[in-house]
Amino acid sequence: MPNSIRIRDVVRKTTFERAPDEPVLLVPYELFQPAGAVHKRGELVDWEQGGANKSGRAVSSVLKATQPGERVLMRIDTSAPADEWWLCEIMSVDGVAGTKES
């Protein structure tokens, strides 16, 4: 089981590490570059992208079930509103970055 997972906040371009049991949301394919935080309401998430408001379904998971290169939604600041999630990319697991297959 992974001990440390390095993550990059796609919107704010910061990196940080989190524990493997951190909750995440698996994102809809069309969620690529949101203008800010993504807001969760039930099983749906809402975001602004390219000047348009969008919505899609997100599935609950945990970080240890992800792979480098995968994008997920995370609650970065636990003092922020509970519906505020941020698009993040998994950079590495226990110091090992993902590799691209050719």
Side-chain angles (χ1 to χ4, degrees):
M1 174 186 339
N3 294 310
S4 174
I5 301 173
R6 187 154 189 77
I7 296 136
R8 179 177 67 93
D9 179 334
V10 172
V11 176
R12 297 179 289 188
K13 299 178 181 17
T14 58
T15 58
F16 52 94
E17 291 193 13
R18 290 288 170 92
D21 290 324
E22 182 86 20
V24 297
L25 297 173
L26 304 179
V27 300
Y29 289 111
E30 58 272 7
L31 176 50
F32 182 71
Q33 189 67 46
V38 174
H39 298 279
K40 184 178 185 301
R41 56 182 176 90
E43 292 183 5
L44 297 176
V45 290
D46 302 316
W47 70 97
E48 182 184 333
Q49 181 172 292
N53 292 322
K54 300 195 175 218
S55 182
R57 185 172 176 265
V59 177
S60 296
S61 188
V62 289
L63 268 178
K64 65 184 170 191
T66 65
Q67 307 257 341
E70 189 172 352
R71 287 186 170 194
V72 296
L73 292 172
M74 296 187 68
R75 290 213 51 235
I76 295 174
D77 181 2
T78 55
S79 65
D83 74 330
E84 185 177 281
W85 295 69
W86 292 88
L87 182 62
C88 297
E89 182 175 352
I90 309 304
M91 302 301 293
S92 64
V93 175
D94 289 338
V96 178
T99 58
K100 289 190 171 187
E101 295 179 19
S102 32

